[in-house]
Amino acid sequence: MNTCGRIRKIRLLKTLVVLLLLVSATKAGAQVNPTDSVPGDPGALSVYTIQHMSFGAFSAGSTGGTVVISNGGLRSVTGDIIALNMGVLYYQSIFDIDAPRGSVVSVMNGADAVLRGSNGGTMTMHIGSSSPASPFITVVNQPARTSISIGGTLSVGTPAANPPGNYSGTFFITFNQE
């Protein structure tokens, strides 16, 4: 390969800097009024993590932007982010709620999460809205569960601030049975 061909190949590799992100850990809290029920009581609220959030593979240009995963699992980008389909899936978080039929449940998002990169750098993730929208009433009889989907928005900086790699972190959501 001649020198010109190597330079083009290096430029192409620099252009296709790929950031892979998987929010690999999520926490969900369930708050139950202690006067209403005790652990193990069929009236108690239980939360099960079914699926963690993933923003998939994307490439950041010189200015950055955002990657948004809707609570329906759709992905969109802003700024000079390029969404890539490289076999790395993207999806919303899914939680199952086990509560008696007719329970009113509120979803309260915690603070924005800081995600740390495997090669340095940090990104901020803002927790999105839930589906069904909060508050909602459970309409299934136990042992069936109510499925809750939650998306998020990832703020991506420049390639210098956010070098390629895997980014992960923890976000907190509280489910409150009223």
Side-chain angles (χ1 to χ4, degrees), residues 92-117:
Q92 75 280 25
S93 288
I94 300 175
F95 302 94
D96 274 358
I97 305 297
D98 186 3
R101 182 184 179 123
S103 295
V104 177
V105 178
S106 296
V107 180
M108 295 176 286
N109 293 347
D112 288 352
V114 175
L115 309 180
R116 301 199 183 287

Side-chain angles (χ1 to χ4, degrees), residues 74-132:
L74 300 175
R75 179 172 67 169
S76 60
V77 296
T78 66
D80 65 357
I81 304 295
I82 299 169
L84 303 173
N85 293 316
M86 300 178 59
V88 180
L89 301 177
Y90 55 88
Y91 37 80
Q92 75 280 25
S93 288
I94 300 175
F95 302 94
D96 274 358
I97 305 297
D98 186 3
R101 182 184 179 123
S103 295
V104 177
V105 178
S106 296
V107 180
M108 295 176 286
N109 293 347
D112 288 352
V114 175
L115 309 180
R116 301 199 183 287
S118 58
N119 295 316
T122 60
M123 294 185 203
T124 302
M125 186 194 80
H126 177 76
I127 305 165
S129 62
S130 66
S131 177

